[in-house]
Amino acid sequence: MNGTYVGIRDTVSGNYGEVHALEEEGATPLKATHRSSYLVEFPYEDDDVGRFLYLEGVEYVMWCTYDVHFYASFALLNLFPKIELSIQREFAKAVLSEDGRRVRFLAEGNWGIRKVRGAVPHDLGTHDPWNEMNAYNIHDTSQWKDLNPKFVLQVYRDFAATGDMSFGVDVWPSVRAAIEYMEQFDRDNDGLIENDGFPDQTYDTWTVHGVSAYCGCLWLAALQAAAAMAFQIGDKEFAEICKAKFLKAKSAFEAKLWNGSYFSYDCGSSSNSRSIQSDQLAGQWYTASSGLPNLFDDYKIRSALQKIVDFNVLKVRGGRMGAVNGMHPNGKVDDTCMQSREIWTGVTYAAAATMILAGMEDQAFTTAEGIFIAGWSEDGFGYWFQTPEAWTTDGHFRSLIYMRPLAIWGMQWALSRPRAILEAPRINIMDRIETSPMSFRSLRHDPHPGVRKIATKAKCFSKSGLRCAC
């Protein structure tokens, strides 16, 4: 089994020479540093910065909460890129690990195992980080639809921004495993993942039915990012599979959710299925931040963002509070649950960053200004240096000193992207990936399931409760 990983690594490394052909055609060169001898060892050499943890918040005491790190990680990538890569390596190891200890999940009352192989963990733990992951036990996060796509997107963004080929080769099997794991959630073979009628994503009190704008857009973006990364490191076959699935899923996504001016909350028949979600273009945010081709036509992106400004932002206290998470198309706040009617500081910054990337700077700063007014100005609620996760329209807060507001660094990233990202759109990698009828086969029937073989023998965490072949 160990030889299986070495075989894939050697194949990728052997194809590295093909990457230089991209350089000759104008693509940004990728830095070749060292090559890992075995995935889970992750030798850092001179880049060893140790291991890093930071809390979700002072009320939600979990380390490196990953669905939230998705928003906050721009701060680390801007300021401490080696620490950011270190965190991604930790989660890459975790993807291939399993912890079979039984856990009861509080919301549904069902039992499951602490960590499922192939699923990205919600967090790295609380009392015994790295060794006892998933301290969160409200829902079974192995069924969440956003964590795996967020892992793929963060890894590709970091890979593209740093040009670190060694990092890409080391974590690639985990990226493949994360994509393959999600195949089980495509119930109707349209290429899209479906939500399962409970809050199975970062909005963990907000129920989702079927295809959703948030998770569906993240999945589209992850498929494109996986295809681009596979192509760049030499896994051409998987690049073809991901591109084919992306094209199929994109068509289904737009048919099911585009309503003429924005993407509906989900494709269900609930009272809030047509709600305007301020986070509906989270996948597009990462796509543009990583230098990949836009997921949708420009007019659809700008139309959806303008809808968010006109409704989620300006219809709440005249735009002086940020973007409310959910808004009905009749202009009333979606009060389906606590989180739909909250204003999330980090999500507001993420929406503003997406606007900057779409050439809508005036709207972006109008949107972000509401967070400053409500949180920092003399006319606000006095949350200086303790920005919370959320507040309501009357100023009641939830979870002070929270991780997600670090998404403001996503705005800085959008304003000053590195050269590697700025030059990437000149070479449309997706156009370089050829597809054939075989590319449309299910990932579950991959005749070369090397990553799954790796996942059964991942030497990940010694001296822990995780099931590893150490």
Side-chain angles (χ1 to χ4, degrees):
M1 287 294 187
N2 292 355
T4 303
Y5 173 75
V6 174
I8 289 183
R9 187 210 66 220
D10 289 346
T11 298
V12 170
S13 299
N15 288 335
Y16 179 67
E18 298 179 23
V19 176
H20 292 290
L22 290 175
E23 299 175 20
E24 296 173 2
E25 297 171 14
T28 302
L30 294 166
K31 180 182 71 174
T33 53
H34 65 276
R35 294 174 181 169
S36 171
S37 61
Y38 189 69
L39 171 69
V40 295
E41 293 174 4
F42 287 143
Y44 302 154
E45 296 182 357
D46 294 337
D47 291 337
D48 187 359
V49 294
R51 307 179 87 173
F52 182 82
L53 295 168
Y54 70 128
L55 286 173
E56 180 179 342
V58 296
E59 296 174 40
Y60 301 144
V61 187
M62 290 167 281
W63 296 112
C64 296
T65 301
Y66 201 73
D67 56 308
V68 187
H69 183 67
F70 176 77
Y71 298 84
S73 58
F74 281 92
L76 288 173
L77 186 57
N78 271 286
L79 300 172
F80 310 105
K82 291 182 180 179
I83 291 178
E84 165 63 10
L85 294 186
S86 174
I87 291 175
Q88 299 302 347
R89 289 177 187 271
E90 299 284 7
F91 277 91
K93 289 185 287 185
V95 168
L96 302 180
S97 300
E98 183 167 296
D99 185 342
R101 288 173 287 185
R102 300 279 289 172
V103 175
R104 186 174 185 178
F105 303 110
L106 301 179
E108 292 79 25
N110 59 314
W111 289 80
I113 67 173
R114 178 176 290 275
K115 167 66 176 69
V116 176
R117 183 178 287 115
V120 174
H122 172 273
D123 55 80
L124 291 179
T126 295
H127 303 295
D128 189 11
W130 298 297
N131 297 324
E132 189 176 87
M133 295 176 287
N134 281 337
Y136 179 95
N137 65 341
I138 297 176
H139 301 288
D140 180 0
T141 59
S142 71
Q143 299 298 302
W144 276 20
K145 310 307 184 294
D146 63 337
L147 288 168
N148 281 39
K150 286 175 176 177
F151 170 71
V152 175
L153 289 171
Q154 289 180 73
V155 164
Y156 181 77
R157 177 204 57 191
D158 297 349
F159 172 68
T162 63
D164 190 336
M165 177 60 72
S166 171
F167 168 74
V169 170
D170 281 344
V171 302
W172 175 244
S174 298
V175 172
R176 277 196 60 161
I179 290 288
E180 290 175 347
Y181 181 85
M182 296 302 292
E183 179 83 356
Q184 64 184 298
F185 302 121
D186 179 7
R187 317 291 188 192
D188 55 5
N189 197 35
D190 63 353
L192 279 174
I193 58 173
E194 284 87 41
N195 294 88
D196 285 326
F198 75 100
D200 50 358
Q201 24 73 45
T202 195
Y203 298 90
D204 59 356
T205 69
W206 199 357
T207 298
V208 199
H209 299 275
V211 175
S212 69
Y214 183 65
C215 294
C217 188
L218 288 171
W219 176 238
L220 287 180
L223 286 172
Q224 180 173 245
M229 187 170 180
F231 180 77
Q232 291 178 71
I233 68 172
D235 193 345
K236 304 296 178 61
E237 182 183 19
F238 197 71
E240 293 176 16
I241 293 172
C242 288
K243 179 181 178 180
K245 186 171 285 290
F246 166 77
L247 295 173
K248 183 178 181 181
K250 177 183 175 181
S251 176
F253 181 85
E254 293 185 293
K256 292 181 178 181
L257 295 180
W258 180 251
N259 58 36
S261 58
Y262 65 96
F263 295 99
S264 297
Y265 177 70
D266 65 29
C267 69
S269 57
S270 64
S271 61
N272 70 325
S273 289
R274 290 268 297 178
S275 285
I276 307 160
Q277 185 178 12
S278 57
D279 218 359
Q280 63 186 269
L281 289 177
Q284 171 59 29
W285 173 34
Y286 259 72
T287 293
S289 294
S290 303
L292 289 170
N294 285 341
L295 297 177
F296 314 109
D297 293 337
D298 287 348
Y299 86 89
K300 289 183 178 178
I301 295 170
R302 294 177 65 88
S303 174
L305 291 172
Q306 190 62 53
K307 194 77 171 183
I308 292 166
V309 173
D310 293 342
F311 281 73
N312 302 59
V313 176
L314 296 179
K315 289 187 181 296
V316 179
R317 301 288 180 90
R320 296 174 61 84
M321 297 200 71
V324 69
N325 284 337
M327 178 71 77
H328 289 296
N330 63 5
K332 294 183 179 180
V333 172
D334 184 344
D335 60 358
T336 301
C337 67
M338 173 187 72
Q339 292 175 345
S340 64
R341 58 178 174 264
E342 285 181 332
I343 295 155
W344 284 12
T345 52
V347 168
T348 299
Y349 289 140
T354 312
M355 293 172 196
I356 293 171
L357 293 162
M360 301 170 64
E361 286 195 18
D362 290 345
Q363 295 93 324
F365 283 95
T366 295
T367 297
E369 184 183 28
I371 302 300
F372 167 76
I373 293 172
W376 289 82
S377 78
E378 294 182 0
D379 298 327
F381 302 116
Y383 297 134
W384 310 309
F385 301 106
Q386 53 184 343
T387 307
E389 155 81 313
W391 53 61
T392 58
T393 55
D394 56 4
H396 290 92
F397 71 88
R398 182 168 60 82
S399 190
L400 291 172
I401 315 179
Y402 199 68
M403 181 191 290
R404 203 179 322 248
L406 286 171
I408 193 170
W409 283 92
M411 295 181 66
Q412 178 64 38
W413 183 268
L415 290 167
S416 56
R417 284 168 287 171
R419 181 179 177 183
I421 299 298
L422 287 171
E423 293 184 352
R426 300 177 187 175
I427 304 296
N428 189 333
I429 290 178
M430 293 297 281
D431 288 344
R432 296 177 178 273
I433 302 172
E434 298 179 359
T435 57
S436 65
M438 286 298 293
S439 302
F440 289 86
R441 65 183 180 272
S442 168
L443 293 172
R444 282 175 289 196
H445 297 94
D446 187 348
H448 304 289
V451 172
R452 290 195 194 83
K453 291 181 181 178
I454 297 166
T456 64
K457 297 286 278 185
K459 257 182 155 178
C460 298
F461 297 94
S462 60
K463 300 180 181 178
S464 77
L466 299 174
R467 183 181 302 164
C468 304
C470 300

